[in-house]
Amino acid sequence: MPSIFTRIIDGEIPGRFVWRDDTCVAFMDVRPLNRGHVLVVPRAEVDHWVDLDGDTVAHLMAVAHRVAEAQQAGGLAPDRVGLMIAGFEVPHVHVHVVPISTMAHLDFSNADTSPDPDDLDTVAALLQERLSGSG
C-alpha cells in the first residue's frame, strides 16, 4: 500500500506544493510545528533515510536549504530554520524544514492539528514565489 506521501505526490490526496522536480517534492505540512513548516520528500518511497542513495540525500538537503532560504526571506521572520528527519510518523523519508524561534517549535506535541487552510495557502504561495525566483 502506498504511503500517504506517495498518494500526495501522485495527486490522490491534495497537497500544497512549493517545489517539484524529478527527485523530490516539497509541500506544506498539514500538522505544522510552526507557521511555514514544509516537508521535503523523495519521490522514491523509502522508509529510512539511511537507505537512500547519497545523491538523493544530497539533493534533499539542497532542496531543504533552498526552502529554508525562502522561509527566511519570505516574511516568516524566524530566528532560525530547524531541520529534522524523524521518520516515525510516516514510513516514507521526509525532511522537516521548520521556521523556529524556540526549541518548542520542534516539539511534535506542539503541532497545530487545525491550521487555517487559507494561511497554509498564503504561505505556500509566498514560498512558491520565492523558490521560483531563486532559479
Side-chain angles (χ1 to χ4, degrees), residues 51-125:
D51 295 328
L52 291 169
D53 64 88
D55 289 340
T56 301
V57 172
H59 185 74
L60 292 176
M61 291 301 114
V63 171
H65 184 259
R66 289 181 72 176
V67 168
E69 289 175 327
Q71 289 167 326
Q72 288 183 313
L76 299 176
D79 291 328
R80 298 194 181 274
V81 177
L83 189 69
M84 180 174 24
I85 303 172
F88 290 106
E89 318 82 37
V90 177
H92 188 150
V93 174
H94 51 291
V95 179
H96 297 266
V97 187
V98 187
I100 61 174
S101 295
T102 73
M103 286 299 292
H105 289 145
L106 294 175
D107 183 343
F108 287 101
S109 67
N110 293 329
D112 184 351
T113 58
S114 299
D116 178 358
D118 292 334
D119 188 56
L120 290 173
D121 291 339
T122 297
V123 174

Side-chain angles (χ1 to χ4, degrees), residues 13-36:
I13 298 172
R16 291 172 177 88
F17 291 89
V18 300
W19 180 275
R20 294 179 204 242
D21 65 32
D22 291 341
T23 303
C24 72
V25 300
F27 51 84
M28 303 303 296
D29 194 314
V30 295
R31 292 177 43 105
L33 298 178
N34 198 25
R35 186 172 188 251

Side-chain angles (χ1 to χ4, degrees), residues 25-49:
V25 300
F27 51 84
M28 303 303 296
D29 194 314
V30 295
R31 292 177 43 105
L33 298 178
N34 198 25
R35 186 172 188 251
H37 181 174
V38 171
L39 300 175
V40 179
V41 183
R43 289 182 181 272
E45 191 171 309
V46 175
D47 181 19
H48 192 17
W49 74 274

